[in-house]
Amino acid sequence: MIKGVAAVLVLLLPWLLGLFPGAPVSYILYLVCLALIYAIVALGLNLLIGFAGQVSLGHAGFLAIGAYASALLTQRLGWPFILALPTAGLVTGAVGFLLGLPALRLSGPYLALVTLGFGLAIPQLALWRGDLTGGAGGLRELPPAALLGLELRSEQTFYYLALAVISLLTLLAYNLVNSHTGRAFVAIRDSEIAAQAMGVDLVRYKTMVFAVSAFYAGIAGSLYAHLIRFISPESFTVFLSVEFLTMIVVGGLGSVPGSIVGALFLTALPELFSRLPLLKDFKNLFIVVFGAILILTMLYFPRGLAGAWSGRRWRFPTRVVKQPSEAT
Amino acid sequence: MAWLLTLPWGQLLINGIALGSLYALTAFGIVLIYKTTDVLTFAQGETAMFSAFIAYTLLTNLGLPFVPAFVLTLVFAMGLGALVERVLIRRAAQGAHLNAIIVTIGLALVLVGGAGAVWGYELKPFPDPITGPPLRLGNLVLTQLGALILAITILLMLLLFAFFRYSLTGIAMRAVAQNRVAAQLMGIPVDRINALGWGVGTALGAVTGVLIAPTNSLFPGMMGDVAIKAFAGAVLGGITSLPGAVLGGIILGVIDSVAGFQAPELRTTIAFSILVLVLVVRPAGLLGRKEIKKV
């Protein structure tokens, strides 16, 4: 019942916003679209970190690859958007697969560092190949998203596109985590050695989760490029990667709905800080609040909003007991 | 490959070692913190940046001379590190490995935002601790600041070496790094050692912050690139090895200096490509020991 009402409200959102006189409908919808795009990245990132336990601090790099791939395919090669969208996802997924290969041999701190380096390197590469990517100026006037010859120029129409894509990807994520593949991810997260002993093929599942996670980010990147219709290396900083991490931490590691809620919440937060009367005075402290949310969530609600919602187990369910470091 | 021979190798090496010794100090701090508390900190650059701002305030607003301001800054950084360990890390380190990493990322954001709110985001010139004509040896040039950086790094390394080798506290820290439980059973106050590890590690980062500020200027994002290179240096040398951190930091400095000469826009990319290659071939780093996981 509640779910049905919520679904109707979500579908009618553009119309509902119109009921408030003076509300900046298209701006709000633009933000919602952006939040949905980030939510797609968060979904993929949560599969990687929350379910499979592999850290990534470079997901903005995957978003960038998807965005540039889609932008170049549509603008330079004249591909229709409907083909560029999945292609961007697949290309990014392939890059994710490649990044998963060194990740096979690396764990914890090393993996965090390699992914961080990846996230830093992608914008630099975009700057370097200025002939292809437009360099620091970026790519401008990208074609709008289009379906069956219909251009989705307005925020209203784009909203439904983003909604459709995220619904499909959420469904995929649910199916994945509830399948034997998802259980293999969780087994790897909880103990690689135990998983291996039970017959989980580490090579296969680790590269697979990287590829799937990157695929999500690539799809999001394509949508991003055709929503904003301007991309530059500046749009894909490491700070954005940290934001994605914050989204899933706040929403709840290892929770599919948590990823979406976290993304919506953290996209709305800076807007609230620059607009609400009381919070406006603390605009300068926005980054501090951001960091504080990350710290407090981790210390007091390690399972994020999803954990607080279910209320049963408030602790991140991996090994809480730390193994003493071994003498060598 | 002929261009390799045409590079001014001597000068690039000197620049690289001066820069790399700064990376080495920060990397040493990261490894020290990792070894004592098992936490990989992503806030090392930001605590250093914050300390550099403290030094700036002491130098310009209070008009202190460089040496007392430097010492006071180090005391501040040690306090900050110990406080962070006591308030945040001790709690976070009880959870999964990722928890503590995320907490340090949050801390980095708080420090960047805090410094921005207090001192502003625009670039500030940092007073030079030392001025004068550069030193020359043949056709090689080393600025006085570069010489000072090298001197301070060598001095600190010797001090740290003596500290870990001969002092009781230093030996206790090594014991904790090797085996926490056994160390505790031997009567070593592990909590205090952890706080000390964070304090000393943070102070080493602060040295980097203060010494790099005159060339890089002072602003909340100033340490981003430096910390990442230091990080790469620590991993390259082996995240479990203190001498490895020094070696890795200096290698990163030299790579940076050569890559900066040849393809400035790809400095970070080149540094990371080399790093990934090393890690794939030798996952424990150059001097690190392979961790053997007991089940």
Side-chain angles (χ1 to χ4, degrees):
Chain A
M1 178 62 194
I2 296 174
K3 278 181 186 168
V5 173
V8 170
L9 287 180
V10 167
L11 281 176
L12 292 180
L13 184 70
W15 180 78
L16 285 172
L17 285 173
L19 292 182
F20 296 94
V25 178
S26 48
Y27 182 65
I28 294 179
L29 278 176
Y30 161 78
L31 280 179
V32 173
C33 289
L34 196 63
L36 289 178
I37 290 170
Y38 287 165
I40 295 174
V41 182
L43 273 173
L45 188 63
N46 215 339
L47 287 176
L48 186 71
I49 300 185
F51 287 94
Q54 309 295 310
V55 190
S56 166
L57 296 176
H59 255 55
F62 288 127
L63 186 73
I65 292 175
Y68 273 103
S70 189
L72 291 173
L73 285 174
T74 51
Q75 198 176 40
R76 297 274 163 94
L77 302 181
W79 283 34
F81 165 77
I82 194 73
L83 275 180
L85 176 73
T87 312
L90 291 175
V91 167
T92 316
V95 176
F97 173 80
L98 291 179
L99 191 69
L101 290 178
L104 287 173
R105 296 197 62 175
L106 306 172
S107 62
Y110 298 98
L111 187 58
L113 184 70
V114 168
T115 52
L116 179 69
F118 169 78
L120 281 167
I122 293 298
Q124 277 201 348
L125 288 174
L127 278 177
W128 177 55
R129 287 303 306 273
D131 50 329
L132 195 65
T133 61
L139 294 171
R140 291 165 193 286
E141 289 167 27
L142 300 173
L147 285 175
L148 308 168
L150 190 73
E151 286 195 342
L152 308 180
R153 276 179 187 274
S154 72
E155 283 78 9
Q156 274 85 349
T157 47
F158 198 95
Y159 170 72
Y160 287 109
L161 170 71
L163 210 56
V165 173
I166 198 172
S167 307
L168 274 176
L169 290 176
T170 309
L171 205 64
L172 177 68
Y174 265 121
N175 277 309
L176 198 64
V177 300
N178 289 325
S179 70
H180 106 269
T181 309
R183 286 188 292 276
F185 290 165
V186 173
I188 292 173
R189 176 192 75 192
D190 289 346
S191 164
E192 284 193 11
I193 295 170
Q196 221 167 0
M198 300 304 289
V200 172
D201 184 350
L202 285 190
V203 175
R204 185 171 161 197
Y205 288 103
K206 270 190 173 181
T207 48
M208 187 199 281
V209 76
F210 263 97
V212 170
S213 184
F215 172 79
Y216 273 71
I219 295 282
S222 170
L223 289 175
Y224 182 92
H226 297 283
L227 170 69
I228 300 183
R229 296 170 59 197
F230 162 68
I231 51 173
S232 78
E234 293 257 303
S235 330
F236 308 103
T237 57
V238 170
F239 185 71
L240 187 60
S241 297
V242 173
E243 258 186 85
F244 291 142
L245 182 68
T246 313
M247 286 171 190
I248 62 168
V249 167
V250 170
L253 289 170
S255 157
V256 171
S259 322
I260 299 171
V261 174
L264 292 176
F265 175 66
L266 280 164
T267 316
L269 198 66
E271 289 303 315
L272 296 179
F273 259 86
S274 56
R275 279 166 210 280
L276 284 190
L278 192 69
L279 288 175
K280 219 167 155 179
D281 304 334
F282 299 99
K283 205 171 157 185
N284 281 340
L285 289 177
F286 168 64
I287 301 180
V288 178
V289 173
F290 211 91
I293 288 177
L294 201 54
I295 293 176
L296 294 176
T297 315
M298 214 64 257
L299 290 184
Y300 298 103
F301 304 96
R303 290 189 62 220
L305 291 171
W309 175 259
S310 69
R312 284 167 302 174
R313 287 189 295 164
W314 288 51
R315 295 243 158 246
F316 189 48
T318 52
R319 305 154 288 167
V320 176
V321 181
K322 209 163 180 201
Q323 292 180 345
S325 51
E326 287 118 22
T328 40
Chain B
M1 282 317 206
W3 59 269
L4 273 176
L5 294 172
T6 61
L7 292 183
W9 278 104
Q11 188 60 47
L12 288 177
L13 266 179
I14 289 192
N15 295 351
I17 290 172
L19 183 65
S21 59
L22 287 179
Y23 295 163
L25 283 176
T26 307
F28 196 96
I30 292 172
V31 170
L32 186 62
I33 288 171
Y34 183 72
K35 276 185 78 115
T36 45
T37 54
D38 255 353
V39 171
L40 188 73
T41 172
F42 278 81
Q44 178 76 347
E46 282 64 28
T47 51
M49 173 274 299
F50 206 85
S51 306
F53 268 107
I54 296 287
Y56 174 81
T57 309
L58 292 173
L59 284 168
T60 54
N61 294 18
L62 301 183
L64 286 183
F66 184 75
V67 174
F70 188 63
V71 172
L72 280 177
T73 305
L74 293 192
V75 172
F76 166 81
M78 277 196 84
L80 177 68
L83 185 75
V84 167
E85 195 280 332
R86 181 69 195 84
V87 177
L88 301 178
I89 302 302
R90 203 169 289 183
R91 202 187 153 93
Q94 286 164 2
H97 212 96
L98 184 62
N99 293 20
I101 290 184
I102 292 174
V103 165
T104 63
I105 292 175
L107 175 67
L109 292 178
V110 169
L111 288 172
V112 168
V118 175
W119 289 286
Y121 285 96
E122 66 278 10
L123 277 93
K124 284 185 173 50
F126 193 90
D128 263 312
I130 188 166
T131 47
L135 311 174
R136 286 173 188 283
L137 186 80
N139 52 3
L140 301 179
V141 184
L142 182 64
T143 60
Q144 296 227 352
L145 182 64
L148 179 73
I149 289 172
L150 276 179
I152 290 184
T153 311
I154 292 169
L155 184 71
L156 278 175
M157 287 304 149
L158 289 177
L159 273 175
L160 284 168
F161 174 78
F163 172 72
F164 283 114
R165 188 72 191 261
Y166 300 112
S167 83
L168 202 57
T169 321
I171 293 169
M173 284 178 96
R174 272 167 45 206
V176 171
Q178 221 165 58
N179 190 326
R180 191 175 309 275
V181 175
Q184 200 149 24
L185 288 172
M186 294 300 123
I188 295 172
V190 171
D191 280 346
R192 246 182 284 165
I193 294 290
N194 285 348
L196 187 66
W198 268 84
V200 174
T202 307
L204 286 172
V207 175
T208 309
V210 172
L211 290 180
I212 210 161
T215 30
N216 277 17
S217 300
L218 194 64
F219 61 103
M222 65 181 250
M223 286 299 281
D225 202 46
V226 180
I228 284 163
K229 299 279 169 53
F231 217 107
V235 172
L236 183 64
I239 194 93
T240 52
S241 160
L242 290 171
V246 178
L247 180 69
I250 289 176
I251 291 177
L252 249 287
V254 173
I255 292 174
D256 213 29
S257 142
V258 176
F261 186 77
Q262 202 61 34
E265 67 275 28
L266 287 182
R267 283 167 74 160
T268 310
T269 311
I270 291 173
F272 267 97
S273 314
I274 292 174
L275 180 75
V276 171
L277 279 181
V278 173
L279 284 180
V280 168
V281 179
R282 205 180 144 78
L286 294 176
L287 299 184
R289 281 216 189 88
K290 196 171 188 296
E291 275 179 66
I292 298 159
K293 201 172 253 175
K294 288 177 192 154
V295 188

